[in-house]
């Protein structure tokens, strides 16, 4: 099933993101965790693509396993910056053969080696080129892409970031998912700016449940996301007690999601980080809300 068709149903829903194993030996534990999340029957699940493409075949294997066993619609991430056109084409064909009809088209982060390289020799410099390839070669994929409410770190300003985002969307993106946000107002302000810029595709807010104090530093480093005062207070108070922090982190993410639903957002993407207990905690908190359309 195409994710854009799920989004267009306009029912409140949650989707979960998981990541593939980094090596063969951890495949079994990743499979168990991702299957437990799939058993919740979320609207869809996404599987990330290892930075630099190193674990690309595992993305396909995890997505295929969940799709076949749980019939959950799958979104496979695909990055292009460290790849060539032939390799990317092969990945696309593999996904198609596995019956995966949704691709998250990403550039991927620039490694220090790539930063030093000669960009004129790269097959891909930006994600828009992958989107164009997907549209040209295999027009029947539903295409997602990334966006940044707090501006992509390489962008000089938000105006440029949104200008390039529009170019990417116009190339054939069906929906966008945001980088993690901890303050919904930042998401709503961003959404307003996108609409003003003529970007009309659905935008799914990305919510990262922080259930462990050690995650905070990494999350900030990865995303540059602003941490609101009440979020900081929660980590300060409960960060040294793992079970209290877990409970507080699930409650904070749930609260963010309820606020998003209450203000008209129907699809929320949760960075569940292969943690079935966290996905289930949020899912259970929303059990009377999910799948309903309160406009009826
Ligand atoms: P782009 O859209 O190419 O944007 C990158 C930068 O280039 C931005 O600053 C943009 O404004 C600028 N730009 C875009 N087009 C142009 C242009 N034509 N001219 C000049 N500048 C331009 N990484 C992974 O490795 N694996 C994953 O699975 C993964 N999943 C992600 C999922 C989501 C929802 C998000 C938000 C990020 C994800 N990432 C993942 C991280 C992502 O790869 C990085 O943020 C990367 O640095 C940018 O990718 P992009 O697709 O947004 O790139």
């Amino acid at each position: 099933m195409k994710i854009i068709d799920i989004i267009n149903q306009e029912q409140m829903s949650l989707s979960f993101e998981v990541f593939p194993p980094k090596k063969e030996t951890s495949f079994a534990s990743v499979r168990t965790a991702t299957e437990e999340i799939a058993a919740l029957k979320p609207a869809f699940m996404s599987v990330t693509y290892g930075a630099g493409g190193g674990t690309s075949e595992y993305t396909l294997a995890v997505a295929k396993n969940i799709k076949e066993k749980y019939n959950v619609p799958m979104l496979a991430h695909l990055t292009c910056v460290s790849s060539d056109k032939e390799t990317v084409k092969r990945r696309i064909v593999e996904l198609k053969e596995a019956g995966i009809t949704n691709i998250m088209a990403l550039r991927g982060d620039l490694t220090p080696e790539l930063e030093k390289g000669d960009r004129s020799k790269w097959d891909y410099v930006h994600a828009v080129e992958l989107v164009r390839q997907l549209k040209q070669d295999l027009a029947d994929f539903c295409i997602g892409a990334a966006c940044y409410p707090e501006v992509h770190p390489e962008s000089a300003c938000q105006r440029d970031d949104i200008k390039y985002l529009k170019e990417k969307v116009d190339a054939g993106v069906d929906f966008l998912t945001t980088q993690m946000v901890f303050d919904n107002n930042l998401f709503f302000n961003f959404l307003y700016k996108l609409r003003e810029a003529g970007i009309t595709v659905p935008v799914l807010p990305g919510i990262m449940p922080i259930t462990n104090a050690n995650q905070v530093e990494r999350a900030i480093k990865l995303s540059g996301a602003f941490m609101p005062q009440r979020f900081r207070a929660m980590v300060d108070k409960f960060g040294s007690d793992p079970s209290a922090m877990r409970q507080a982190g699930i409650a904070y993410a749930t609260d963010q999601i309820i606020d998003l639903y209450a203000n008209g957002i129907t699809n929320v993407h949760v960075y569940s980080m292969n943690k079935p207990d966290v996905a289930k905690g949020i899912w259970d908190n929303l059990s009377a809300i999910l799948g309903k359309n309160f406009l009826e």
Side-chain angles (χ1 to χ4, degrees), residues 48-49 77 106-109 126-127 148 152 155 161 164 168:
T48 62
Y49 197 80
H77 291 205
L106 298 149
R107 186 197 66 179
D109 277 322
H126 294 107
Y148 304 84
H152 187 273
S155 285
D161 212 21
Y164 292 124
K168 183 163 71 174

Side-chain angles (χ1 to χ4, degrees), residues 17 47-53 77-79 104-110 125-129 145-148 152-156 160-162 164-165 167-168 177-180 269 271:
E17 181 161 304
V47 188
T48 62
Y49 197 80
H77 291 205
L78 182 62
T79 68
M104 187 74 174
L106 298 149
R107 186 197 66 179
D109 277 322
L110 299 180
V125 180
H126 294 107
V128 64
E129 290 140 30
C147 62
Y148 304 84
H152 187 273
E154 287 165 39
S155 285
D160 283 0
D161 212 21
I162 292 178
Y164 292 124
L165 182 62
E167 193 180 299
K168 183 163 71 174
T177 306
T178 75
Q179 180 59 282
M180 62 185 86
H269 195 56
Y271 296 116

Side-chain angles (χ1 to χ4, degrees), residues 71-97:
N71 201 23
V72 171
M74 296 307 298
L75 170 65
H77 291 205
L78 182 62
T79 68
C80 58
V81 73
S82 53
S83 225
D84 57 70
K85 289 236 155 143
E86 272 315 300
T87 309
V88 168
K89 189 157 188 175
R90 224 173 23 250
R91 296 286 171 228
I92 296 170
V93 169
E94 283 165 5
L95 289 168
K96 200 177 161 70
E97 283 172 359

Side-chain angles (χ1 to χ4, degrees), residues 138-158:
L138 300 134
D140 54 347
F141 276 106
C142 168
I143 304 173
C147 62
Y148 304 84
E150 297 176 68
V151 186
H152 187 273
E154 287 165 39
S155 285
C157 62
Q158 189 167 50

Side-chain angles (χ1 to χ4, degrees), residues 97-153:
E97 283 172 359
I100 311 254
T101 50
N102 306 288
I103 292 186
M104 187 74 174
L106 298 149
R107 186 197 66 179
D109 277 322
L110 299 180
T111 57
E113 295 80 61
L114 281 169
E115 292 270 16
K116 283 184 239 141
D118 176 0
R119 293 182 187 209
S120 65
K121 299 209 171 103
W122 299 356
D123 277 6
Y124 305 89
V125 180
H126 294 107
V128 64
E129 290 140 30
L130 175 58
V131 175
R132 289 195 184 116
Q133 183 181 2
L134 281 163
K135 283 315 249 191
Q136 265 168 20
D137 290 356
L138 300 134
D140 54 347
F141 276 106
C142 168
I143 304 173
C147 62
Y148 304 84
E150 297 176 68
V151 186
H152 187 273

